[in-house]
């Protein structure tokens, strides 16, 4: 039995106290209306109306049940409206994530941008590494994220990939600090500060492989996850770190990864030939691209990355509007 439809018939007859007018109000013929009311009475085990050839009146049971019936219809309408809003992305919840290396200005821009673009969708934002995001996206425990490439994108759809060329942070009195651009091979003899491999294994391996191809095998790789620890290694004058040019990025004291923020003890120099780069893109489970909340976050984070990394905007990879799929360990578009 379609309970909601039967209850609608009951309420209409109760309010009109006339089967003909109730049928006209519901846009249906009178016989099926009478049948629905009778079936509802059988299902409930009570008589709702007293009927004569001249009038229809509510029974005591019908009067008692009328308020409950109206409440039921109101709840059904609210449920339908909420479902429609969720479907259209005008309410609900989006579980999203940013990687820890994203600058504070970008995080703020994402939150502000989503508040304008999300149309009432609640944003549950997490700080997760690329590896953690890919795992949660695969298990549908995350709706959308900002991941770093290369990584395994099986089952994911991607937004535009933004490239940020990396330079090197050096002790201010390092010999290579006198260069306008620094060849990777000139960094031989230094230890290299990197994020822990488990945060983004493919990126970590790709970066060291590229270094080796350009003549750099670090004396040692130090994993700098804590901001103070990373800064201390830099100031030891035995280590260097790779970082994009982000003039507005926070200082190392507020980020787990080094940035190119001016510091009296360190200098930032571009790398000769721009062999290294961070590549980020929004990613979401395949088939979720039409979800308005997911779309709003993906567009917002892509826009925010481009705006806050102004010096890198001219290196952003031009992309078509449709989602793309990256091969896990390369930059070939397929």
């Amino acid at each position: 039995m379609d309970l909601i439809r039967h209850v609608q018939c009951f309420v209409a007859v109760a309010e009109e106290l006339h089967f003909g007018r109730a049928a006209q109000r519901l846009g249906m013929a009178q016989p099926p209306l009478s049948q629905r009311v009778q079936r509802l009475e059988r299902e409930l085990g009570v008589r709702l109306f007293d009927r004569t050839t001249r009038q229809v009146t509510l029974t005591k049971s019908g009067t008692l049940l009328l308020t409950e019936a109206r409440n039921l219809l109101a709840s059904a309408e609210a449920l339908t409206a909420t479902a429609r809003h969720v479907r259209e992305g005008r309410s609900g919840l989006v579980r999203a994530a940013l990687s820890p290396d994203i600058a504070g200005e970008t995080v703020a821009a994402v939150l502000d941008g989503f508040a304008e673009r999300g149309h009432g969708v609640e944003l549950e934002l997490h700080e997760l590494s690329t590896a953690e995001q890919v795992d949660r996206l695969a298990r549908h425990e995350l709706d959308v994220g900002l991941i770093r490439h290369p990584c395994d994108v099986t089952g994911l759809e991607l937004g535009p990939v933004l490239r940020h060329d990396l330079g090197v942070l050096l002790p201010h009195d390092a010999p290579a600090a006198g260069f306008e651009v620094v060849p990777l091979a000139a960094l031989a003899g230094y230890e290299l500060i990197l994020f822990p491999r488990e945060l983004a294994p493919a990126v970590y391996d790709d970066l060291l492989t590229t270094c080796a191809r350009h003549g750099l095998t670090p004396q040692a790789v130090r994993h700098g996850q804590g901001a103070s620890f990373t800064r201390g290694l830099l100031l030891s004058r035995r280590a260097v770190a790779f970082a994009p040019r982000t003039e507005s990025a926070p200082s190392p004291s507020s980020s787990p990864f080094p940035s190119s923020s001016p510091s009296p003890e360190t200098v930032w120099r571009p790398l000769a030939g721009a062999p290294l780069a961070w590549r980020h893109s929004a990613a979401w489970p395949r088939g979720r691209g039409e979800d308005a909340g997911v779309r709003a976050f993906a567009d917002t984070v892509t826009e925010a990355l481009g705006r806050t990394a102004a010096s890198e905007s001219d290196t952003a990879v031009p992309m078509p509007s449709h989602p793309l799929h990256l091969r896990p360990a390369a930059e070939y578009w397929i």
Side-chain angles (χ1 to χ4, degrees), residues 1-9 36 72-73 76-77:
M1 183 179 71
D2 182 350
L3 178 61
I4 298 300
R5 185 59 174 165
H6 283 66
V7 170
Q8 285 176 332
C9 292
R36 286 179 182 272
L72 177 62
L73 293 181
E77 290 177 2

Side-chain angles (χ1 to χ4, degrees), residues 11 26 35-36 40 100 121 135-137 146 200 207 224 243 268 275 278 300 313 334:
V11 171
L26 294 174
Q35 293 168 8
R36 286 179 182 272
L40 182 62
V121 177
D135 179 59
R136 293 198 187 190
L137 287 167
L146 180 69
L207 189 145
W268 184 91
W278 294 149
T300 299
S313 59
I334 58 176

